[in-house]
Amino acid sequence: GRRLISLLARRAREGGFRRSCAVGAVSLDLGSADYDALQPQVAAIFAGWTATLAAAFDLGSPARTRAFAGLLLTAIEGAY
């Protein structure tokens, strides 16, 4: 868990907080018709990332671990 967070923090710092997430950037720039078409793919990507993050932690319950992973992903996305 700590190594993962340290790695992500270092990557954000080294990139000057300017390396944006391509999936996040694209989803923010889409018009409503395009977004509706791509939303399932975007949701699947973020769900996969959340699951990957959750696998690095054990907070005692699957729901708590998933919630923390979602919060962590939001923080990571916000750092870019």
Side-chain angles (χ1 to χ4, degrees):
R2 288 179 189 226
R3 281 196 321 198
L4 175 62
I5 292 172
S6 294
L7 172 72
L8 294 167
R10 187 184 66 207
R11 186 176 182 273
R13 275 193 312 274
E14 288 174 355
F17 301 94
R18 295 180 188 189
R19 293 182 185 159
S20 67
C21 167
V23 174
V26 167
S27 66
L28 290 173
D29 289 339
L30 293 173
S32 61
D34 293 326
Y35 181 78
D36 290 343
L38 289 176
Q39 194 278 334
Q41 290 84 4
V42 171
I45 291 167
F46 280 105
W49 290 346
T50 300
T52 298
L53 290 170
F57 299 93
D58 180 4
L59 300 180
S61 79
R64 181 179 288 158
T65 301
R66 276 192 309 275
F68 177 73
L71 175 66
L72 184 56
L73 181 57
T74 300
I76 293 166
E77 287 293 310
Y80 294 105

